[in-house]
């Protein structure tokens, strides 16, 4: 017997529609590529997203078409998160840190038809766009005063449309986003997100034992919007009505600290090097931050020294997270349990060095070389595998099929332990493990030991 409940699809435009209705004036603040600070409410963002959706349709964009961006974290990029996906097309966020040949390669592999770019990439796009085999339309994400010659202009296309628009009915399993892995071994691989998977991921992200987001928060993602949906915060923030602060391209310590203070940011997320830069700036200026509640750190494992320094200088509590492009990206997050109340500071710090506990939606296991599941005893070390509704089931165009097991798990390439409380601790990447005298040596343990010295800020251990 089937349930008698309305079958409403989980689609991304519904998030911005909700924010515009119930959090109309809650701000999206951007440090623009052109320089000035831009701010507007979610109601205005929805109107502009609908105008851009109509502009894309007028340019001939169809459901399933790939629309690429080469852009930073800005309000225009935020609009495209909904405008592109809302018409059934697929937003392909290209990582500008890829070298030029790989940027061309991913655009061709994705078969992008439209490329939108921030003006800081104008010279690069002028050089690379003619090499892209399928890109027919190039749009500068700026106004006429700042646009390079010979391309369409975002603000002009938008101004030619009215905001009256009804989103088309979409299948919630329809693809919405495409992000390529970094390609450290061979060419990058495409991860194809869907409306359903991304909505579920955004809901999970906002839960109290995850990012704990609400309408009372001010969220500033320092993970750029070209990388795994900026850790999905451009969807999670409007979902709960949080204020969203986008840093543009300026990720230096001074610029980040200035925005945090000016906008009363409560929740930060980014890689360790970002917070080292902010801490350095605060040390040099004697400044202090008073609004920060939580700093989510991912991308690489922070050391005990870094966690301590970030908490002292930025004022919030660090929550380490682990995830991948293939997990949308949230996999685990280091949230304390009730049993940890009253633990001594050193025990707290040692727990924070673990990547985190699983949350609903991501299943974890570690296996030996024969594929047998290993116990969760905090000692057994094996290959980490994951599965769940926002975990990739295959790469775009079936590249790298070996990463996916016959019984439906994704092999992350990480080596890890899981303890009895469910905390995951990475010990290595499979390709980085060091063996000496018949014993496995953790590069993360070596790095932690090096960084425990007060004269060492960061370290990397490499097997030779």
């Amino acid at each position: 017997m089937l349930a008698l409940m309305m079958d409403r699809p989980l689609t991304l435009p519904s998030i911005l529609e909700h924010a515009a209705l119930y959090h109309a004036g809650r701000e999206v603040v951007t440090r623009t590529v052109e320089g000035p600070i831009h701010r507007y409410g979610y109601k205005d963002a929805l109107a502009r997203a609908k105008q851009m959706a109509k502009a894309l349709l007028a340019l001939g964009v169809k459901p399933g078409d790939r629309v690429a961006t080469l852009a930073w974290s800005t309000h225009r990029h935020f609009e495209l998160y909904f405008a592109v996906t809302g018409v059934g097309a697929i937003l392909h966020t290209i990582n500008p840190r890829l070298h030029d040949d790989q940027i061309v390669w991913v655009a061709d592999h994705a078969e992008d038809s439209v490329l939108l770019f921030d003006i800081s990439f104008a010279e690069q796009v002028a050089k690379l766009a003619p090499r892209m085999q399928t890109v027919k339309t190039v749009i500068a994400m700026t106004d006429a005063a700042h646009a390079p010659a010979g391309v369409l202009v975002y603000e002009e296309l938008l101004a030619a449309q009215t905001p009256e628009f009804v989103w088309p009915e979409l299948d919630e399993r329809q693809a919405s986003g495409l992000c390529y892995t970094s390609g450290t071994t061979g060419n990058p691989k495409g991860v194809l997100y869907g409306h359903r998977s991304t909505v579920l991921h955004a809901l999970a992200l906002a839960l109290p034992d995850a990012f704990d987001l609400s309408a009372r928060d001010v969220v500033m993602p320092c993970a750029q919007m070209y990388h795994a949906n900026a850790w999905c915060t451009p969807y999670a923030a409007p979902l709960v009505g949080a204020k969203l602060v986008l840093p543009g391209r300026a990720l230096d310590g001074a610029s980040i600290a200035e925005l945090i203070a000016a906008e009363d940011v409560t929740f930060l997320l980014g890689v360790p090097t970002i917070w080292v830069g902010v801490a350095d700036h605060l040390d040099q200026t004697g400044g202090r931050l008073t609004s920060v509640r939580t700093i989510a750190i991912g991308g690489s494992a922070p050391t005990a020294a870094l966690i301590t320094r970030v908490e002292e200088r930025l004022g919030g509590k660090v929550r380490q997270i682990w995830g991948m492009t293939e997990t949308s990206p949230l996999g685990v997050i280091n949230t304390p349990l009730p049993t940890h109340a009253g633990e001594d500071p050193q025990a707290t710090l040692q727990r924070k060095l673990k990547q985190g506990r699983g949350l609903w939606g991501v299943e974890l296991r570690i296996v030996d070389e024969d594929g047998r599941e290993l116990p969760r005893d905090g000692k057994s070390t094996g290959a980490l595998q994951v599965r769940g509704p926002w975990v990739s089931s295959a790469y775009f165009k079936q590249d790298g099929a070996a990463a996916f097991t016959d019984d439906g798990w994704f092999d992350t390439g990480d080596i890890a332990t899981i303890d009895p409380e469910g905390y995951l601790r990475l010990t290595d990447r499979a390709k980085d493990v060091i063996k000496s005298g018949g014993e496995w040596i953790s590069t993360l343990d070596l790095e932690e030991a090096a960084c425990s010295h007060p004269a060492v800020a960061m370290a990397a251990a490499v097997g030779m």
Side-chain angles (χ1 to χ4, degrees), residues 200-270:
L200 289 173
H201 182 266
L203 284 165
L205 204 72
L207 289 172
D209 278 343
F211 284 0
D212 191 17
L213 301 181
S214 74
R216 289 157 291 285
D217 278 302
V218 181
V219 178
M220 184 172 169
C222 294
Q224 285 283 358
M225 293 176 73
Y226 56 71
H227 177 64
N229 294 330
W231 299 4
C232 209
T233 46
Y235 294 125
L239 187 147
V240 299
K243 178 178 174 179
L244 183 62
V245 179
L246 302 172
R249 65 178 298 189
L251 293 180
D252 60 281
S255 298
I256 293 295
E258 179 186 339
L259 266 184
I260 293 170
E263 304 300 332
D264 291 324
V265 173
T266 63
F267 188 92
L268 294 161
L269 68 159

Side-chain angles (χ1 to χ4, degrees), residues 154-184:
Y154 187 98
E155 292 297 333
E156 291 183 343
L157 291 173
L158 188 142
Q161 304 293 336
T162 64
E164 287 71 39
F165 182 68
V166 177
W167 302 106
E169 285 290 327
L170 300 173
D171 187 318
E172 64 177 20
R173 289 173 174 79
Q174 198 161 329
S176 61
L178 180 60
C179 185
Y180 280 76
T181 61
S182 57
T184 53

Side-chain angles (χ1 to χ4, degrees), residues 391-407:
V391 178
S392 181
S393 62
Y395 289 119
F396 185 53
K397 296 187 176 179
Q398 301 300 312
D399 292 343
F404 302 92
T405 68
D406 293 338
D407 57 345

Side-chain angles (χ1 to χ4, degrees), residues 351-371:
R351 177 177 46 76
K352 287 182 176 181
L353 291 175
K354 299 174 182 179
Q355 276 60 53
R357 299 180 75 243
L359 68 161
W360 177 88
V362 180
E363 298 177 63
L364 309 167
R365 73 178 185 184
I366 52 173
V367 300
D368 63 17
E369 292 178 353
D370 296 319

